[in-house]
Amino acid sequence: MLSIIKPYPSPIITGRGIDLDFPMLAGCLALLGLGLVMIASASTEVAAAQSGSALYYMIRHLIYVMLGLGACIVTMMVPIATWQRLGWLMLIGAFGLLVMVIIPGIGREVNGSMRWIGFSFFNVQPSEIAKVFVVIYLAGYLVRRQKEVRESWMGFFKPFIVLLPMAGLLLMEPDFGATVVMMGAAAAMLFLGGVGLFRFLLMVLLAVGAVVLLIQMQPYRMARLTNFADPWADQFGAGYQLSQALIAFGRGEWLGVGLGNSVQKQFYLPEAHTDFVFSVLAEELGAVGSLVTVALFAFVCVRGMYIGYWAEKAKQFFAAYIAYGLSFLWIGQFLINIGVNVGLLPTKGLTLPFLSYGGSSLVICCACLGLLLRIEWESRTHLGSEEMEFQESDFAEEPTHGR
């Protein structure tokens, strides 16, 4: 195995041993550990009722964590130049997966949405994979067409020839939250890629108009929008989830009721271990625990942006755009999930990165972490490029860490 990987040095295979961005790794591992503890706590009642074992979801989540760490290691071993060459194939793969999931018999329907491709023991959520593949493809486009993107309208509109059909496929599932996160990350990447302020503001206005139109087209979306403003008006109907989440926050107060002592997880709060795990965390660990968790997320997202900045300073623009895009994917999901839990946004089914139960989301988040660690290592050492020839002397001395 090592002989196969040897031509491509990586942060975990060097003469110096492991050479990683430890602050970023530590932040994400802390979130993974916290997520495992909260899933073990939030899912006990549901797991016992559905499977007869209170640890059913915790054990599955632990397996997903192990798979995610394996995916992180694999992505760290792949040179960024390889991702750049395969960008168009990933885009085709993303379209293929999103088409497959809406085909009856292949896609699996859960709670009225066709978002999963079911296998015997697990489900795959193609939208999680597609979002990352879109970021990689768009990063390659911004490098290839940098001048065109910055100076012409055509360079600005071309990405939407790809993005709009993909957004349409996501809406057919329907997965409105994933669509918003993907398009938001793409818009941020275009802005950082040099799109003029006027064109960017025009894009924002068109996006806001599209969101308003999409909300009005579906009655259930409009109902969510009107009910989240005052969930107590229909506490046992459309506002049930949000009202129960707010009760959880109220019960937690400053220091929480104690780990494992949540009342809301006992069949009061639906999806307590997935979309609303942060509400259970707030009830058990209180405002202090919630703020520490938010601070961890902020650190990880800001660190990801800095990794992009360092890559850009090293003139590794493709890697920089990937880092920016992945960071914005995390930021989008984090803001939407937390916003839904605290009642600032209408109820939307988006997982909390690294914390929520869900195999696809967790594995993809870990794979993204591996990409970010690889980008940081390549930008710091200027190694990992296929155009360079590596010798033993490249790995003989300790690097100088300036970060």
Side-chain angles (χ1 to χ4, degrees):
M1 179 66 179
L2 293 178
S3 62
I4 296 175
I5 302 172
K6 189 176 180 181
Y8 304 102
S10 73
I12 56 176
I13 301 178
T14 71
R16 298 181 294 259
I18 297 176
D19 185 16
L20 295 173
D21 180 11
F22 284 103
M24 182 66 165
L25 180 62
C28 291
L29 288 179
L31 288 172
L32 281 173
L34 179 61
L36 182 61
V37 171
M38 291 314 305
I39 296 302
S41 174
S43 66
T44 52
E45 304 298 331
V46 174
Q50 293 181 352
S51 68
S53 171
L55 299 179
Y56 175 77
Y57 287 114
M58 189 274 285
I59 293 171
R60 288 177 65 92
H61 190 77
L62 181 60
I63 293 172
Y64 294 145
V65 169
M66 295 297 104
L67 291 174
L69 293 176
C72 177
I73 292 172
V74 170
T75 52
M76 274 194 288
M77 291 181 176
V78 180
I80 298 301
T82 302
W83 298 104
Q84 187 169 6
R85 287 201 314 271
L86 298 177
W88 65 277
L89 286 175
M90 293 180 183
L91 183 68
I92 295 173
F95 271 109
L97 288 171
L98 292 179
V99 169
M100 287 175 62
V101 78
I102 59 176
I103 297 176
I106 298 179
R108 181 185 177 190
E109 184 174 349
V110 179
N111 296 330
S113 298
M114 298 274 286
R115 300 180 185 176
W116 293 268
I117 297 176
F119 295 92
S120 56
F121 297 105
F122 61 95
N123 299 318
V124 174
Q125 191 170 358
S127 61
E128 295 290 338
I129 302 172
K131 287 184 293 186
V132 176
F133 285 3
V134 165
V135 165
I136 293 173
Y137 173 80
L138 189 56
Y141 174 82
L142 291 172
V143 171
R144 294 191 306 271
R145 306 287 184 177
Q146 189 176 61
K147 184 177 180 180
E148 190 177 357
V149 167
R150 293 180 176 181
E151 297 179 0
S152 73
W153 283 91
M154 186 57 65
F156 168 68
F157 280 118
K158 278 182 180 178
F160 292 96
I161 299 174
V162 171
L163 292 172
L164 292 179
M166 189 162 290
L169 289 172
L170 287 171
L171 291 172
M172 289 175 68
E173 296 182 8
D175 195 342
F176 186 67
T179 307
V180 171
V181 170
M182 183 190 75
M183 296 300 286
M189 289 176 69
L190 286 169
F191 181 70
L192 293 174
V195 169
L197 184 60
F198 175 74
R199 279 174 285 168
F200 179 75
L201 292 176
L202 176 63
M203 176 175 58
V204 171
L205 291 174
L206 291 174
V208 171
V211 168
V212 172
L213 181 63
L214 289 170
I215 290 174
Q216 293 178 341
M217 287 173 62
Q218 293 290 341
Y220 79 90
R221 291 182 187 140
M222 182 59 71
R224 286 180 177 178
L225 185 64
T226 54
N227 285 316
F228 100 97
D230 185 13
W232 309 106
D234 190 10
Q235 181 180 351
F236 299 104
Y240 180 76
Q241 274 186 310
L242 179 54
S243 61
Q244 296 301 316
L246 294 176
I247 290 172
F249 276 92
R251 291 193 76 252
E253 298 185 349
W254 284 104
L255 298 177
V257 297
L259 190 62
N261 294 327
S262 169
V263 172
Q264 294 305 105
K265 70 181 181 182
Q266 299 180 21
F267 306 103
Y268 292 102
L269 180 61
E271 311 296 340
H273 60 296
T274 55
D275 300 342
F276 284 89
V277 68
F278 189 75
S279 297
V280 177
L281 184 149
E283 183 182 2
E284 295 189 349
L285 303 183
V288 174
S290 301
L291 291 174
V292 170
T293 304
V294 170
L296 265 177
F297 272 112
F299 170 77
V300 165
C301 292
V302 171
R303 188 76 178 182
M305 296 294 291
Y306 267 105
I307 288 173
Y309 170 70
W310 294 327
E312 194 169 359
K313 284 185 65 177
K315 300 190 182 303
Q316 298 176 1
F317 297 107
F318 174 74
Y321 292 136
I322 288 182
Y324 291 142
L326 296 180
S327 299
F328 277 112
L329 287 180
W330 287 355
I331 291 169
Q333 287 194 221
F334 163 70
L335 290 177
I336 291 176
N337 185 279
I338 299 295
V340 167
N341 275 257
V342 300
L344 293 177
L345 294 173
T347 302
K348 194 74 220 85
L350 270 181
T351 57
L352 190 59
F354 295 106
L355 255 74
S356 294
Y357 176 83
S360 296
S361 174
L362 193 62
V363 172
I364 292 300
C365 281
C366 291
C368 292
L369 170 62
L371 267 172
L372 289 170
L373 292 174
R374 176 82 195 195
I375 290 169
E376 190 276 337
W377 178 75
E378 288 195 12
S379 65
R380 173 164 47 84
T381 62
H382 298 282
L383 300 177
S385 172
E386 292 189 340
E387 285 75 21
M388 295 181 64
E389 293 183 3
F390 301 100
Q391 300 175 359
E392 192 66 28
S393 59
D394 292 327
F395 308 99
E397 299 178 357
E398 289 290 334
T400 301
H401 288 263
R403 300 171 186 172

